[in-house]
Amino acid sequence: MSAAAVATTVFAVFMVATVALGLLAVRGRGGGGGGLAEWSVGGRSLGTVFIWVLMAGEGYTSFSYLGAAGWGYNYGAPVLYVIAYMSCGYALGYLVGPVLWDYARRHGLVGITDMVAHRYGRPWLGAVVAVLATVFLLPYIQLQITGMGVVVSTVTYGAVSLEWAYFIAFAVTTGFVVVSGLRGSAWVSVLKDVLVIGTLGFLAVYVPLHYFGGYGELFDRLAAEHPQWLTLPGAGNAEGGRGQLGVGWFASTTVLNALTVVIFPTTVAGYLGARSADTLRRNAILLPAYNVLLFVPMLLGMAALFVVPGLTGADSNLALFKLVVDSLPAWAVGVIGVAAALSSIVPMAVFMLVIGTMWGRSVLSAVPRWSSGERQKLASQLVVVAAGAIALVMAYTAPNTLVRLSLVSYEGMAQLVPMLLLGLVWRKLTTAAAVCGLAAGVAVVCGLVFTGNDPVWGLNAGMVALAVNLAVAVTVARFGPGEAAGSGAGDPRPDDEVLARDPLHSPPGDQNEVLSVVSERG
């Protein structure tokens, strides 16, 4: 059997297993029945293990195999910002996760759009946030489809074309998300994590020994031949790359992304799926251990400088795979490809799930026909299919359109931080203040990024925009108009006062609720 046939067979077997896991996730739960909360946040019953693999899976995307290695190949040390912001984000999540979980549980909410609409008493504001978040999330779906296509085509030695790989990514992900929701994503994350840990652990040992004789020799060559890859601002400045990736950019990007990741809709979906606030705290303690794996593709990207020199443009993102395709047996290449493919499928599933939930709950629910609980779930499932189809069509017909939007996605999403987090702990933040701050922040970040001024003054453009956002929001809150009487926005609620006063502790009764929910394996 040819190498292509072996690798393709391995890939096909694991894709079937992926769909089967997603379907098994709802076994004993009415075949995927239940309301929107069961589908979108797993009935708020996922334990520490499932929350850990789900949130690790959402953060460990195809970027980890492609982008991280590509950044290591092109720039070197600046790529470490990923580990820095994720670790800081997990620490911040120890505080923020229980706050959001508790607020959502007490008010029956299932996402950030729900929280915004409830906090400010403005359903239309939740719909606005849903539309804005969708604009920022759709590029990530397309990027995962594209990333999986590149991986699958490469590891199957071209036997599976890019076009077929794109469709497989869409079909597999949509299939199990529509049926099993967040619970299916968590179950598939278990398979993905086993493969990711196994393959990256193997490559961390194999590549340095096979090509260099060990890590000592690899670092000796890096220090002697490519020293700029080992320090900030990395190689980009010297070679006309991104440039300005110095200490200021590194620190501002770390802070901005750490703030953003805790309110990112997909992260919040993980928070709200937990069975208790203590589950989230334990999870925040355990998650940084997963970051150790990220050193592997980053380092192997730099190792590829000596093995496959001269890669440019998008080809640099294949640095890791070019190291292994020619030196490993086909079955091993296939397994590594499956791990990378699942690293696209799992986060893509959560992105699609979150978009569907936001629209079903905050946009389409305004239509009387879709206002009931079961109708909201059906509407959300239809939106999942539509969002995936849009991203798939764009990947085929206009691959650069959504990719350009991805340049501003994370920095744009950061502008929701004051509206959501500040709004929960500062009751004087009015609707007008939150909206004005959001509008100013989005305008600034889009203006800076799309005019090529990111970084600006050596800082991440999103951080500058967030500072403007905060300044505008606080100014309008203090000196602008107050809330209209009877609007429900900004009115102190007793349970919210408790939340703001003691955000680290769950309300009495949580421990009893833990005893009544499904078992850890649920």
Side-chain angles (χ1 to χ4, degrees):
M1 187 179 291
S2 67
V6 171
T8 303
T9 300
V10 169
F11 174 77
V13 168
F14 275 99
M15 287 303 99
V16 171
T18 297
V19 175
L21 270 178
L23 298 178
L24 283 173
V26 293
R27 184 182 59 180
R29 294 178 178 270
L36 183 62
E38 170 63 35
W39 181 76
S40 62
V41 293
R44 309 183 202 276
S45 62
L46 301 181
T48 302
V49 173
F50 275 139
I51 289 295
W52 186 80
V53 297
L54 179 66
M55 296 187 69
E58 186 273 320
Y60 210 91
T61 71
S62 59
F63 172 85
S64 306
Y65 281 86
L66 298 174
W71 266 62
Y73 188 94
N74 288 323
Y75 309 117
V79 72
L80 294 174
Y81 87 92
V82 177
I83 294 175
Y85 93 74
M86 289 181 71
S87 299
C88 292
Y90 294 147
L92 187 59
Y94 184 92
L95 304 174
V96 173
V99 171
L100 298 179
W101 177 89
D102 183 62
Y103 187 83
R105 182 190 64 84
R106 286 183 290 109
H107 299 295
L109 312 175
V110 295
I112 64 169
T113 56
D114 270 4
M115 295 182 194
V116 168
H118 181 273
R119 159 60 178 87
Y120 296 97
R122 299 286 195 275
W124 62 264
L125 188 55
V128 169
V129 171
V131 172
L132 188 65
T134 299
V135 171
F136 292 142
L137 287 177
L138 268 178
Y140 283 99
I141 297 176
Q142 185 191 337
L143 287 173
Q144 298 310 316
I145 290 175
T146 305
M148 179 172 170
V150 171
V151 167
V152 172
S153 182
T154 301
V155 301
T156 59
Y157 304 87
V160 178
S161 67
L162 283 173
E163 290 74 17
W164 272 110
Y166 293 165
F167 181 77
I168 292 170
F170 163 75
V172 171
T173 306
T174 304
F176 77 77
V177 167
V178 167
V179 174
S180 58
L182 189 74
R183 190 176 300 277
S185 298
W187 279 49
V188 174
S189 288
V190 175
L191 173 62
K192 187 217 68 153
D193 281 7
V194 170
L195 291 173
V196 165
I197 293 171
T199 57
L200 288 184
F202 167 74
L203 291 176
V205 176
Y206 171 78
V207 171
L209 287 176
H210 180 76
Y211 287 107
F212 304 97
Y215 277 99
E217 292 81 355
L218 170 58
F219 281 109
D220 285 344
R221 289 194 63 181
L222 280 172
E225 301 177 36
H226 298 289
Q228 64 269 42
W229 267 258
L230 299 176
T231 60
L232 294 175
N237 270 20
E239 299 183 2
R242 286 177 60 91
Q244 303 183 54
L245 303 183
V247 174
W249 172 86
F250 191 97
S252 60
T253 301
T254 297
V255 172
L256 179 80
N257 286 13
L259 286 170
T260 306
V261 75
V262 298
I263 60 96
F264 213 73
T266 50
T267 305
V268 175
Y271 290 156
L272 303 191
R275 65 175 55 171
S276 70
D278 284 338
T279 295
L280 292 177
R281 297 184 189 107
R282 288 192 295 269
N283 186 62
I285 294 170
L286 296 172
L287 272 172
Y290 207 92
N291 281 351
V292 175
L293 290 173
L294 283 174
F295 282 105
V296 178
M298 295 173 183
L299 181 60
L300 298 187
M302 287 188 276
L305 287 167
F306 305 105
V307 181
V308 283
L311 297 179
T312 58
D315 286 343
S316 63
N317 290 328
L318 292 174
L320 186 153
F321 290 100
K322 288 184 179 294
L323 289 176
V324 301
V325 166
D326 294 330
S327 61
L328 287 174
W331 68 265
V333 172
V335 172
I336 293 171
V338 168
L342 290 179
S343 294
S344 293
I345 288 174
V346 170
M348 181 166 54
V350 183
F351 292 145
M352 292 165 66
L353 177 76
V354 165
I355 290 176
T357 302
M358 289 190 300
W359 279 75
R361 183 78 165 186
S362 299
V363 180
L364 298 179
S365 61
V367 180
R369 179 180 179 181
W370 303 104
S371 60
S372 67
E374 275 302 315
R375 284 287 183 172
Q376 284 183 12
K377 178 183 173 182
L378 176 60
S380 300
Q381 292 169 323
L382 292 175
V383 172
V384 163
V385 178
I390 290 171
L392 177 65
V393 170
M394 296 296 282
Y396 284 136
T397 61
N400 292 326
T401 301
L402 287 180
V403 171
R404 278 194 58 79
L405 276 177
S406 71
L407 297 174
V408 76
S409 290
Y410 222 84
E411 296 168 351
M413 196 69 73
Q415 308 314 311
L416 292 172
V417 170
M419 177 178 283
L420 184 57
L421 292 188
L422 184 60
L424 285 182
V425 298
W426 189 36
R427 300 302 302 178
K428 293 183 179 180
L429 185 67
T430 62
T431 303
V435 170
C436 288
L438 175 64
V442 170
V444 170
V445 76
C446 288
L448 290 174
V449 171
F450 291 132
T451 58
N453 291 299
D454 182 22
V456 56
W457 307 311
L459 302 175
N460 186 298
M463 196 66 184
V464 175
L466 183 59
V468 173
N469 184 336
L470 278 169
V472 170
V474 172
T475 300
V476 175
R478 291 183 64 86
F479 304 108
E483 298 288 359
S487 68
D491 298 335
R493 299 180 179 90
D495 49 359
D496 293 341
E497 292 176 349
V498 172
L499 174 66
R501 184 170 61 249
D502 191 14
L504 291 182
H505 293 86
S506 308
D510 274 354
Q511 298 304 318
N512 292 331
E513 290 178 14
V514 170
L515 297 177
S516 66
V517 297
V518 298
S519 67
E520 183 80 6
R521 289 181 58 83

